Amino acid sequence: DLDRYGVNSHNIGHMYLAGGMGHGLDIESAVSIGLFPSDLAEKIVPVGNASLAGCIKYGNLLRDDGDIDDILSVSQEILLSNEEDFSPLYYENMLFD
């Protein structure tokens, strides 16, 4: 819910989808059923298993160049199961009319 964070889709440069959802999701289909707003469709980047890729990248760093601190300073984990609006919106949009 972008409104909660005071942004709109024009403020978003890229939206990275990680995990199983980011691996096999058909973006066009997800937009067509209302899972994502249509104006974000071109900004969605599936990244697959990002946690594993991040661990590998971090493990291979030979110097501390501040990248990890930069990423951590702008990253936020959002647990959908804790989001009050998620379940009702999810169930509402599961009906493929």
Side-chain angles (χ1 to χ4, degrees):
D1 183 13
L2 299 177
D3 293 336
R4 177 178 301 160
Y5 299 100
V7 298
N8 61 45
S9 58
H10 301 293
N11 301 116
I12 297 173
H14 296 90
M15 183 174 130
Y16 298 100
L17 290 181
M21 185 176 208
H23 176 71
L25 185 70
D26 182 311
I27 304 300
E28 258 185 60
S29 296
V31 169
S32 72
I33 64 169
L35 189 59
F36 302 112
S38 59
D39 51 350
L40 283 180
E42 298 297 320
K43 299 177 180 185
I44 297 172
V45 180
V47 293
N49 190 342
S51 61
L52 178 59
C55 289
I56 291 169
K57 181 176 178 179
Y58 184 74
N60 287 327
L61 288 177
L62 298 177
R63 64 185 194 290
D64 181 14
D65 58 8
D67 284 347
I68 299 301
D69 292 330
D70 291 344
I71 291 169
L72 289 173
S73 73
V74 297
S75 298
Q76 178 181 5
E77 178 182 19
I78 299 172
L79 299 173
L80 293 178
S81 61
N82 292 341
E83 295 293 317
E84 189 176 308
D85 303 357
F86 177 73
S87 289
L89 285 170
Y90 181 77
Y91 295 131
E92 178 182 322
N93 289 288
M94 280 181 59
L95 304 174
F96 302 100
D97 296 330

Coordinates of all heavy atoms in Angstrom, one line a residue:
D1 N 0.8 -1.2 0.0 CA 0.0 0.0 0.0 C 0.9 1.2 0.0 O 1.4 1.6 1.0 CB -0.9 -0.1 1.2 CG -1.9 1.1 1.3 OD1 -2.1 1.8 0.3 OD2 -2.5 1.2 2.3
L2 N 1.1 1.8 -1.1 CA 2.0 3.0 -1.3 C 1.6 4.2 -0.5 O 2.4 4.9 0.0 CB 2.1 3.3 -2.8 CG 2.6 2.3 -3.7 CD1 2.6 2.7 -5.1 CD2 4.0 1.8 -3.3
D3 N 0.3 4.4 -0.3 CA -0.2 5.5 0.4 C 0.3 5.6 1.9 O 0.6 6.6 2.4 CB -1.8 5.6 0.5 CG -2.4 5.8 -0.9 OD1 -1.7 6.4 -1.8 OD2 -3.5 5.4 -1.1
R4 N 0.4 4.4 2.5 CA 0.9 4.3 3.8 C 2.3 4.9 4.0 O 2.7 5.4 5.0 CB 0.9 2.8 4.3 CG 1.5 2.6 5.7 CD 1.5 1.2 6.1 NE 0.1 0.7 6.0 CZ -0.3 -0.6 6.0 NH1 0.7 -1.5 6.0 NH2 -1.5 -0.9 6.0
Y5 N 3.1 4.8 2.9 CA 4.5 5.3 3.0 C 4.6 6.7 2.3 O 5.7 7.2 2.2 CB 5.4 4.3 2.3 CG 5.4 3.0 3.0 CD1 4.6 1.9 2.5 CD2 6.0 2.8 4.2 CE1 4.5 0.7 3.2 CE2 6.0 1.6 4.9 CZ 5.2 0.6 4.4 OH 5.1 -0.6 5.1
G6 N 3.5 7.3 1.9 CA 3.5 8.6 1.4 C 4.2 8.7 0.0 O 4.7 9.8 -0.3
V7 N 4.1 7.7 -0.8 CA 4.7 7.7 -2.1 C 3.6 7.2 -3.1 O 2.6 6.7 -2.7 CB 5.9 6.8 -2.2 CG1 7.0 7.3 -1.3 CG2 5.6 5.4 -2.0
N8 N 3.9 7.5 -4.4 CA 3.1 6.9 -5.4 C 4.0 6.2 -6.4 O 5.2 6.2 -6.3 CB 2.2 8.0 -6.1 CG 3.0 9.1 -6.7 OD1 4.0 8.8 -7.5 ND2 2.6 10.3 -6.5
S9 N 3.4 5.6 -7.4 CA 4.2 4.8 -8.3 C 5.2 5.6 -9.1 O 6.2 5.1 -9.6 CB 3.3 4.0 -9.3 OG 2.4 4.9 -10.0
H10 N 5.0 6.9 -9.2 CA 6.0 7.7 -9.9 C 7.2 7.9 -9.1 O 8.3 8.2 -9.7 CB 5.3 9.1 -10.3 CG 4.1 9.0 -11.1 ND1 4.2 8.5 -12.4 CD2 2.8 9.2 -10.9 CE1 3.0 8.5 -12.9 NE2 2.1 8.9 -12.0
N11 N 7.2 7.7 -7.8 CA 8.3 7.8 -6.9 C 9.2 6.6 -7.0 O 10.3 6.6 -6.4 CB 7.9 8.1 -5.5 CG 7.1 9.3 -5.3 OD1 6.0 9.3 -4.9 ND2 7.7 10.5 -5.6
I12 N 8.7 5.5 -7.6 CA 9.4 4.2 -7.6 C 10.2 4.0 -8.9 O 9.6 4.1 -10.0 CB 8.4 3.1 -7.4 CG1 7.7 3.2 -6.0 CG2 9.1 1.7 -7.5 CD1 6.6 2.3 -5.7
G13 N 11.5 3.8 -8.7 CA 12.3 3.6 -9.9 C 12.3 2.1 -10.3 O 12.1 1.8 -11.5
H14 N 12.4 1.2 -9.4 CA 12.4 -0.2 -9.6 C 11.7 -0.9 -8.5 O 11.8 -0.5 -7.3 CB 13.8 -0.8 -9.7 CG 14.5 -0.3 -10.9 ND1 15.3 0.8 -10.8 CD2 14.6 -0.7 -12.2 CE1 15.9 1.0 -12.0 NE2 15.5 0.1 -12.8
M15 N 11.0 -2.0 -8.7 CA 10.3 -2.8 -7.7 C 10.9 -4.2 -7.9 O 10.6 -4.9 -8.9 CB 8.8 -2.8 -7.8 CG 8.1 -3.5 -6.8 SD 6.3 -3.3 -6.9 CE 5.8 -5.0 -6.8
Y16 N 11.7 -4.7 -6.9 CA 12.3 -6.0 -7.0 C 11.4 -7.0 -6.3 O 11.1 -6.8 -5.2 CB 13.7 -5.9 -6.4 CG 14.6 -5.0 -7.1 CD1 14.8 -3.7 -6.6 CD2 15.2 -5.3 -8.3 CE1 15.7 -2.8 -7.2 CE2 16.0 -4.4 -8.9 CZ 16.3 -3.2 -8.4 OH 17.1 -2.3 -9.1
L17 N 11.1 -8.1 -7.0 CA 10.4 -9.2 -6.4 C 11.3 -10.4 -6.2 O 11.9 -10.9 -7.1 CB 9.3 -9.7 -7.4 CG 8.1 -8.7 -7.6 CD1 7.1 -9.4 -8.6 CD2 7.4 -8.4 -6.3
A18 N 11.4 -10.8 -4.9 CA 12.3 -11.8 -4.6 C 11.6 -13.1 -4.2 O 10.4 -13.1 -4.1 CB 13.2 -11.4 -3.4
G19 N 12.3 -14.2 -4.1 CA 11.8 -15.5 -3.7 C 11.0 -16.2 -4.7 O 11.1 -15.9 -5.9
G20 N 10.2 -17.1 -4.3 CA 9.4 -17.9 -5.3 C 8.5 -17.0 -6.1 O 8.3 -17.2 -7.3
M21 N 7.9 -15.9 -5.5 CA 7.1 -15.0 -6.3 C 7.8 -14.3 -7.3 O 7.4 -14.2 -8.5 CB 6.4 -14.0 -5.3 CG 5.4 -13.1 -6.0 SD 4.6 -12.1 -4.8 CE 3.1 -11.8 -5.6
G22 N 9.0 -13.9 -7.0 CA 9.9 -13.2 -8.0 C 10.4 -14.1 -9.0 O 10.9 -13.6 -10.1
H23 N 10.5 -15.4 -8.8 CA 11.1 -16.3 -9.7 C 10.1 -16.7 -10.9 O 10.6 -16.7 -12.0 CB 11.5 -17.6 -9.0 CG 12.1 -18.6 -9.9 ND1 13.3 -18.5 -10.5 CD2 11.6 -19.8 -10.3 CE1 13.5 -19.6 -11.3 NE2 12.5 -20.4 -11.1
G24 N 8.9 -17.0 -10.6 CA 8.0 -17.5 -11.6 C 6.8 -16.7 -12.0 O 6.0 -17.2 -12.7
L25 N 6.7 -15.5 -11.5 CA 5.5 -14.7 -11.7 C 5.5 -14.1 -13.1 O 6.5 -13.5 -13.6 CB 5.5 -13.6 -10.7 CG 4.2 -12.7 -10.7 CD1 3.0 -13.5 -10.2 CD2 4.4 -11.5 -9.8
D26 N 4.4 -14.2 -13.8 CA 4.2 -13.6 -15.0 C 3.7 -12.2 -14.7 O 2.5 -12.0 -14.3 CB 3.1 -14.4 -15.9 CG 2.9 -13.7 -17.2 OD1 2.7 -12.5 -17.3 OD2 2.9 -14.5 -18.2
I27 N 4.5 -11.2 -15.0 CA 4.2 -9.8 -14.6 C 2.9 -9.3 -15.2 O 2.1 -8.7 -14.6 CB 5.4 -8.9 -14.9 CG1 6.7 -9.3 -14.2 CG2 5.0 -7.4 -14.5 CD1 6.6 -9.4 -12.7
E28 N 2.8 -9.6 -16.5 CA 1.6 -9.1 -17.3 C 0.3 -9.7 -16.6 O -0.7 -9.0 -16.4 CB 1.6 -9.6 -18.7 CG 2.0 -8.5 -19.7 CD 1.9 -9.0 -21.1 OE1 0.9 -9.4 -21.6 OE2 3.0 -9.0 -21.8
S29 N 0.3 -11.0 -16.3 CA -0.9 -11.6 -15.7 C -1.1 -11.0 -14.3 O -2.3 -10.7 -13.9 CB -0.6 -13.1 -15.5 OG -0.6 -13.7 -16.8
A30 N -0.1 -10.8 -13.5 CA -0.2 -10.2 -12.2 C -0.8 -8.8 -12.3 O -1.7 -8.5 -11.4 CB 1.1 -10.1 -11.5
V31 N -0.4 -8.0 -13.2 CA -1.0 -6.7 -13.4 C -2.5 -6.8 -13.9 O -3.3 -6.1 -13.4 CB -0.2 -5.9 -14.4 CG1 -0.9 -4.6 -14.8 CG2 1.2 -5.5 -13.8
S32 N -2.7 -7.7 -14.8 CA -4.1 -7.8 -15.3 C -5.1 -8.3 -14.3 O -6.3 -7.9 -14.4 CB -4.1 -8.8 -16.5 OG -4.0 -10.1 -16.1
I33 N -4.7 -9.0 -13.2 CA -5.6 -9.4 -12.2 C -5.6 -8.4 -11.0 O -6.3 -8.6 -10.0 CB -5.4 -10.8 -11.7 CG1 -4.0 -10.9 -11.0 CG2 -5.5 -11.8 -12.8 CD1 -3.8 -12.2 -10.2
G34 N -4.8 -7.4 -11.1 CA -4.8 -6.3 -10.1 C -3.8 -6.6 -8.9 O -3.9 -5.8 -7.9
L35 N -2.9 -7.5 -9.1 CA -1.9 -7.8 -8.0 C -1.0 -6.6 -7.9 O -0.6 -6.2 -6.8 CB -1.2 -9.0 -8.3 CG -0.2 -9.5 -7.2 CD1 -1.0 -9.8 -5.9 CD2 0.5 -10.8 -7.7
F36 N -0.7 -6.0 -9.0 CA 0.2 -4.8 -9.0 C -0.5 -3.7 -9.9 O -1.1 -4.1 -10.9 CB 1.6 -5.1 -9.6 CG 2.3 -6.1 -8.9 CD1 2.6 -7.4 -9.5 CD2 2.8 -5.9 -7.6 CE1 3.3 -8.4 -8.8 CE2 3.5 -6.9 -6.9 CZ 3.7 -8.1 -7.5
P37 N -0.3 -2.4 -9.6 CA -0.8 -1.4 -10.4 C -0.2 -1.4 -11.8 O 1.0 -1.7 -11.9 CB -0.5 -0.1 -9.7 CG 0.0 -0.5 -8.4 CD 0.4 -1.9 -8.4
S38 N -0.9 -1.1 -12.8 CA -0.4 -1.1 -14.2 C 0.8 -0.2 -14.4 O 1.7 -0.5 -15.2 CB -1.5 -0.9 -15.2 OG -2.1 0.4 -15.0
D39 N 0.8 0.9 -13.7 CA 1.9 1.9 -13.9 C 3.2 1.4 -13.3 O 4.2 2.1 -13.4 CB 1.5 3.3 -13.5 CG 0.9 3.4 -12.1 OD1 0.6 2.3 -11.5 OD2 0.8 4.5 -11.6
L40 N 3.2 0.3 -12.6 CA 4.4 -0.3 -12.1 C 4.9 -1.4 -12.9 O 6.0 -1.9 -12.7 CB 4.2 -0.8 -10.6 CG 4.2 0.2 -9.5 CD1 4.0 -0.5 -8.2 CD2 5.4 1.1 -9.5
A41 N 4.2 -1.9 -13.9 CA 4.5 -3.1 -14.7 C 5.9 -3.0 -15.3 O 6.6 -4.0 -15.2 CB 3.5 -3.3 -15.8
E42 N 6.3 -1.9 -15.8 CA 7.6 -1.7 -16.5 C 8.7 -1.6 -15.5 O 9.9 -1.6 -15.8 CB 7.6 -0.5 -17.4 CG 6.6 -0.7 -18.6 CD 6.9 -1.9 -19.5 OE1 8.1 -2.1 -19.8 OE2 6.0 -2.6 -19.9
K43 N 8.4 -1.4 -14.2 CA 9.4 -1.2 -13.2 C 9.6 -2.4 -12.3 O 10.5 -2.4 -11.5 CB 8.9 0.0 -12.2 CG 8.7 1.3 -13.0 CD 8.2 2.3 -12.0 CE 8.0 3.7 -12.8 NZ 7.6 4.7 -11.8
I44 N 8.9 -3.5 -12.6 CA 9.0 -4.7 -11.8 C 10.2 -5.6 -12.3 O 10.2 -5.8 -13.5 CB 7.7 -5.5 -11.8 CG1 6.6 -4.7 -11.1 CG2 7.9 -6.8 -11.1 CD1 5.2 -5.3 -11.2
V45 N 11.1 -5.9 -11.4 CA 12.2 -6.7 -11.8 C 12.3 -8.0 -10.9 O 12.5 -7.9 -9.7 CB 13.5 -5.9 -11.5 CG1 14.7 -6.8 -11.9 CG2 13.5 -4.6 -12.2
P46 N 11.9 -9.2 -11.5 CA 12.0 -10.4 -10.7 C 13.5 -10.7 -10.5 O 14.3 -10.7 -11.4 CB 11.4 -11.5 -11.6 CG 10.8 -10.7 -12.7 CD 11.4 -9.4 -12.8
V47 N 13.9 -11.1 -9.2 CA 15.3 -11.3 -8.9 C 15.5 -12.7 -8.3 O 16.6 -13.0 -7.9 CB 15.8 -10.3 -7.9 CG1 15.9 -8.9 -8.6 CG2 15.0 -10.2 -6.6
G48 N 14.4 -13.5 -8.3 CA 14.6 -14.9 -7.8 C 15.0 -15.0 -6.3 O 14.5 -14.2 -5.5
N49 N 16.0 -15.9 -6.0 CA 16.4 -16.0 -4.6 C 17.4 -15.0 -4.2 O 18.6 -15.2 -4.2 CB 17.0 -17.4 -4.4 CG 17.2 -17.8 -3.0 OD1 17.3 -16.9 -2.1 ND2 17.4 -19.0 -2.7
A50 N 16.9 -13.8 -3.9 CA 17.8 -12.7 -3.6 C 18.6 -12.8 -2.3 O 19.7 -12.3 -2.2 CB 17.0 -11.4 -3.5
S51 N 18.0 -13.5 -1.4 CA 18.8 -13.7 -0.1 C 20.1 -14.5 -0.4 O 21.1 -14.2 0.1 CB 17.9 -14.3 1.0 OG 17.5 -15.6 0.6
L52 N 19.9 -15.6 -1.1 CA 21.1 -16.4 -1.5 C 22.1 -15.6 -2.3 O 23.3 -15.6 -2.0 CB 20.7 -17.7 -2.2 CG 21.8 -18.6 -2.6 CD1 22.6 -19.1 -1.4 CD2 21.3 -19.8 -3.4
A53 N 21.6 -14.9 -3.3 CA 22.5 -14.1 -4.1 C 23.2 -13.0 -3.3 O 24.4 -12.8 -3.5 CB 21.7 -13.5 -5.3
G54 N 22.5 -12.4 -2.4 CA 23.1 -11.4 -1.5 C 24.2 -12.0 -0.6 O 25.2 -11.4 -0.4
C55 N 23.9 -13.2 -0.1 CA 24.9 -13.8 0.8 C 26.2 -14.2 0.0 O 27.3 -14.0 0.5 CB 24.3 -15.1 1.4 SG 23.1 -14.8 2.7
I56 N 26.0 -14.6 -1.2 CA 27.2 -15.0 -2.1 C 27.9 -13.7 -2.4 O 29.2 -13.7 -2.3 CB 26.7 -15.7 -3.3 CG1 26.2 -17.1 -3.0 CG2 27.9 -15.8 -4.3 CD1 25.5 -17.8 -4.1
K57 N 27.2 -12.7 -2.8 CA 27.9 -11.4 -3.1 C 28.7 -10.9 -1.9 O 29.8 -10.5 -1.9 CB 26.9 -10.4 -3.6 CG 27.6 -9.0 -3.9 CD 26.6 -8.0 -4.5 CE 27.4 -6.8 -4.8 NZ 26.6 -5.7 -5.4
Y58 N 28.0 -10.9 -0.7 CA 28.6 -10.4 0.5 C 29.8 -11.2 0.9 O 30.9 -10.7 1.2 CB 27.6 -10.4 1.7 CG 28.2 -9.8 2.9 CD1 28.4 -8.4 3.1 CD2 28.5 -10.6 4.0 CE1 28.9 -7.9 4.2 CE2 29.0 -10.1 5.2 CZ 29.2 -8.7 5.3 OH 29.7 -8.2 6.4
G59 N 29.7 -12.5 0.7 CA 30.8 -13.4 1.0 C 32.0 -13.2 0.1 O 33.1 -13.5 0.5
N60 N 31.8 -12.7 -1.1 CA 32.8 -12.5 -2.0 C 33.5 -11.2 -2.0 O 34.4 -10.9 -2.7 CB 32.3 -12.8 -3.5 CG 32.1 -14.3 -3.7 OD1 32.8 -15.1 -3.2 ND2 31.1 -14.6 -4.5
L61 N 32.9 -10.3 -1.2 CA 33.5 -8.9 -1.1 C 34.9 -9.0 -0.5 O 35.2 -9.6 0.5 CB 32.7 -8.0 -0.2 CG 31.3 -7.6 -0.8 CD1 30.6 -6.7 0.3 CD2 31.5 -6.8 -2.0
L62 N 35.9 -8.4 -1.2 CA 37.2 -8.4 -0.7 C 37.6 -7.1 0.1 O 38.6 -7.1 0.8 CB 38.2 -8.4 -1.9 CG 38.0 -9.7 -2.8 CD1 39.0 -9.6 -4.0 CD2 38.4 -10.9 -2.0
R63 N 36.7 -6.1 0.0 CA 37.0 -4.9 0.8 C 35.6 -4.4 1.3 O 34.6 -4.7 0.8 CB 37.7 -3.9 0.0 CG 36.9 -3.4 -1.2 CD 37.7 -2.4 -2.1 NE 36.8 -1.7 -3.0 CZ 36.2 -2.2 -4.0 NH1 36.3 -3.5 -4.3 NH2 35.5 -1.5 -4.8
D64 N 35.7 -3.6 2.3 CA 34.5 -2.9 2.8 C 34.3 -1.6 2.1 O 34.9 -0.6 2.5 CB 34.5 -2.7 4.3 CG 33.3 -2.1 4.9 OD1 32.3 -2.0 4.2 OD2 33.3 -1.6 6.1
D65 N 33.5 -1.6 1.1 CA 33.3 -0.3 0.3 C 32.1 0.4 0.7 O 31.7 1.3 0.0 CB 33.4 -0.6 -1.2 CG 32.4 -1.6 -1.7 OD1 31.5 -2.0 -0.9 OD2 32.5 -2.0 -2.8
G66 N 31.4 0.0 1.7 CA 30.2 0.7 2.2 C 28.9 0.2 1.5 O 27.8 0.7 1.8
D67 N 29.0 -0.6 0.4 CA 27.8 -1.1 -0.3 C 26.7 -1.7 0.7 O 25.5 -1.3 0.6 CB 28.1 -2.1 -1.4 CG 28.7 -1.4 -2.6 OD1 28.7 -0.2 -2.7 OD2 29.3 -2.2 -3.4
I68 N 27.2 -2.5 1.5 CA 26.2 -3.2 2.4 C 25.5 -2.2 3.3 O 24.3 -2.2 3.5 CB 26.9 -4.3 3.3 CG1 27.5 -5.4 2.3 CG2 26.0 -4.9 4.3 CD1 26.5 -6.1 1.5
D69 N 26.3 -1.2 3.9 CA 25.7 -0.2 4.7 C 24.7 0.6 4.0 O 23.6 1.0 4.5 CB 26.7 0.7 5.4 CG 27.6 -0.1 6.4 OD1 27.1 -1.0 7.0 OD2 28.8 0.3 6.5
D70 N 25.0 1.0 2.7 CA 24.1 1.7 1.9 C 22.8 1.0 1.6 O 21.7 1.5 1.7 CB 24.7 2.1 0.5 CG 25.9 3.1 0.7 OD1 26.0 3.7 1.7 OD2 26.7 3.2 -0.3
I71 N 22.9 -0.3 1.3 CA 21.7 -1.1 1.0 C 20.9 -1.2 2.3 O 19.7 -1.1 2.3 CB 22.2 -2.5 0.5 CG1 22.8 -2.4 -0.9 CG2 21.0 -3.5 0.5 CD1 23.5 -3.6 -1.4
L72 N 21.5 -1.5 3.4 CA 20.8 -1.7 4.7 C 20.1 -0.4 5.1 O 19.0 -0.4 5.6 CB 21.7 -2.1 5.8 CG 22.2 -3.5 5.7 CD1 23.3 -3.8 6.8 CD2 21.1 -4.5 5.8
S73 N 20.7 0.8 4.8 CA 20.1 2.0 5.2 C 18.8 2.4 4.4 O 18.0 3.1 4.9 CB 21.1 3.2 5.0 OG 21.3 3.5 3.7
V74 N 18.6 1.8 3.2 CA 17.4 2.1 2.4 C 16.5 0.9 2.3 O 15.4 1.0 1.6 CB 17.8 2.6 1.0 CG1 18.5 3.9 1.1 CG2 18.5 1.6 0.2
S75 N 16.8 -0.2 2.9 CA 16.0 -1.5 2.8 C 15.1 -1.6 4.0 O 15.4 -1.2 5.1 CB 16.9 -2.7 2.7 OG 17.7 -2.6 1.6
Q76 N 13.9 -2.3 3.7 CA 13.0 -2.5 4.7 C 12.3 -3.8 4.4 O 11.8 -4.1 3.3 CB 11.9 -1.4 4.8 CG 10.9 -1.6 5.8 CD 9.9 -0.4 5.8 OE1 9.9 0.5 5.0 NE2 8.9 -0.5 6.7
E77 N 12.2 -4.7 5.4 CA 11.4 -5.9 5.3 C 10.0 -5.6 5.6 O 9.6 -5.0 6.6 CB 12.0 -7.0 6.3 CG 11.2 -8.3 6.2 CD 11.7 -9.3 7.2 OE1 12.4 -8.9 8.2 OE2 11.5 -10.5 7.0
I78 N 9.1 -6.1 4.7 CA 7.6 -6.0 5.0 C 7.1 -7.4 5.0 O 7.1 -8.1 4.1 CB 7.0 -5.2 3.8 CG1 7.6 -3.8 3.8 CG2 5.5 -5.1 4.1 CD1 7.1 -3.0 2.6
L79 N 6.6 -7.7 6.2 CA 6.0 -9.1 6.4 C 4.5 -8.9 6.0 O 3.7 -8.3 6.8 CB 6.1 -9.5 7.8 CG 7.6 -9.7 8.3 CD1 7.7 -10.0 9.7 CD2 8.2 -10.8 7.5
L80 N 4.1 -9.5 4.9 CA 2.7 -9.3 4.4 C 1.7 -9.9 5.4 O 0.6 -9.4 5.6 CB 2.6 -10.0 3.1 CG 3.3 -9.3 1.9 CD1 3.1 -10.1 0.6 CD2 2.9 -7.9 1.8
S81 N 2.1 -11.0 6.1 CA 1.2 -11.6 7.1 C 0.9 -10.6 8.2 O -0.1 -10.8 8.9 CB 1.8 -12.9 7.6 OG 3.0 -12.6 8.3
N82 N 1.7 -9.6 8.5 CA 1.5 -8.6 9.5 C 0.7 -7.4 9.0 O 0.4 -6.5 9.8 CB 2.8 -8.2 10.2 CG 3.4 -9.3 11.0 OD1 2.8 -10.3 11.3 ND2 4.7 -9.2 11.2
E83 N 0.6 -7.3 7.7 CA -0.1 -6.1 7.2 C -1.6 -6.3 7.3 O -2.2 -7.2 6.7 CB 0.3 -5.9 5.7 CG 1.8 -5.6 5.6 CD 2.2 -4.2 6.2 OE1 1.4 -3.3 6.0 OE2 3.2 -4.1 6.8
E84 N -2.2 -5.4 7.9 CA -3.7 -5.4 8.2 C -4.5 -5.5 6.9 O -5.5 -6.2 6.8 CB -4.1 -4.1 8.9 CG -5.5 -4.1 9.4 CD -5.7 -2.9 10.3 OE1 -5.0 -2.6 11.2 OE2 -6.7 -2.2 10.0
D85 N -4.1 -4.8 5.8 CA -4.8 -4.8 4.6 C -4.6 -5.9 3.7 O -5.3 -6.2 2.7 CB -4.5 -3.5 3.8 CG -4.7 -2.2 4.5 OD1 -5.2 -2.3 5.7 OD2 -4.4 -1.2 4.0
F86 N -3.5 -6.7 3.9 CA -3.1 -7.7 2.9 C -4.1 -8.8 2.7 O -4.5 -9.1 1.6 CB -1.7 -8.3 3.3 CG -1.3 -9.4 2.3 CD1 -0.9 -9.1 1.1 CD2 -1.4 -10.7 2.7 CE1 -0.5 -10.0 0.2 CE2 -1.0 -11.7 1.8 CZ -0.6 -11.4 0.5
S87 N -4.5 -9.5 3.7 CA -5.4 -10.6 3.6 C -6.7 -10.2 2.9 O -7.1 -10.9 1.9 CB -5.7 -11.3 4.9 OG -4.6 -12.0 5.3
P88 N -7.4 -9.2 3.3 CA -8.6 -8.8 2.6 C -8.4 -8.5 1.1 O -9.2 -8.9 0.3 CB -9.2 -7.6 3.4 CG -8.5 -7.6 4.7 CD -7.2 -8.3 4.5
L89 N -7.3 -7.7 0.8 CA -7.0 -7.4 -0.6 C -6.7 -8.6 -1.4 O -7.1 -8.8 -2.5 CB -5.9 -6.4 -0.6 CG -6.3 -5.0 -0.3 CD1 -5.0 -4.1 -0.1 CD2 -7.2 -4.4 -1.3
Y90 N -5.9 -9.5 -0.8 CA -5.5 -10.7 -1.4 C -6.7 -11.6 -1.8 O -6.9 -12.0 -2.9 CB -4.5 -11.5 -0.5 CG -4.0 -12.8 -1.2 CD1 -3.0 -12.7 -2.1 CD2 -4.5 -14.0 -0.7 CE1 -2.5 -13.9 -2.7 CE2 -4.0 -15.2 -1.3 CZ -3.0 -15.1 -2.2 OH -2.5 -16.3 -2.8
Y91 N -7.5 -11.8 -0.8 CA -8.7 -12.7 -1.0 C -9.7 -12.0 -2.0 O -10.3 -12.7 -2.9 CB -9.4 -13.0 0.3 CG -8.6 -13.8 1.2 CD1 -8.5 -13.5 2.6 CD2 -7.9 -14.9 0.8 CE1 -7.7 -14.2 3.4 CE2 -7.1 -15.7 1.6 CZ -7.0 -15.4 2.9 OH -6.2 -16.1 3.7
E92 N -9.8 -10.7 -1.9 CA -10.7 -10.0 -2.9 C -10.3 -10.1 -4.3 O -11.1 -10.3 -5.2 CB -10.8 -8.5 -2.5 CG -11.6 -7.7 -3.4 CD -11.5 -6.2 -2.9 OE1 -11.5 -5.9 -1.7 OE2 -11.5 -5.3 -3.8
N93 N -9.0 -10.1 -4.5 CA -8.4 -10.2 -5.8 C -8.1 -11.6 -6.3 O -7.6 -11.7 -7.4 CB -7.2 -9.3 -6.0 CG -7.6 -7.8 -5.9 OD1 -8.2 -7.3 -6.8 ND2 -7.3 -7.2 -4.8
M94 N -8.4 -12.6 -5.5 CA -8.2 -14.0 -5.9 C -9.3 -14.4 -6.9 O -9.1 -15.4 -7.6 CB -8.1 -14.9 -4.7 CG -6.8 -14.9 -4.0 SD -6.8 -16.1 -2.6 CE -7.2 -17.6 -3.4
L95 N -10.4 -13.8 -6.8 CA -11.5 -14.2 -7.7 C -11.3 -13.7 -9.1 O -11.3 -12.6 -9.4 CB -12.8 -13.6 -7.1 CG -13.1 -13.9 -5.7 CD1 -14.3 -13.1 -5.2 CD2 -13.3 -15.4 -5.5
F96 N -10.9 -14.7 -9.9 CA -10.6 -14.4 -11.3 C -11.8 -14.3 -12.1 O -12.2 -15.2 -12.8 CB -9.6 -15.4 -11.9 CG -8.4 -15.5 -11.1 CD1 -8.2 -16.6 -10.1 CD2 -7.3 -14.6 -11.2 CE1 -7.1 -16.7 -9.4 CE2 -6.2 -14.7 -10.5 CZ -6.0 -15.8 -9.6
D97 N -12.5 -13.1 -12.0 CA -13.8 -12.9 -12.7 C -13.6 -12.9 -14.2 O -12.8 -12.3 -14.8 CB -14.5 -11.7 -12.2 CG -14.9 -11.8 -10.8 OD1 -15.1 -12.9 -10.3 OD2 -14.9 -10.7 -10.1

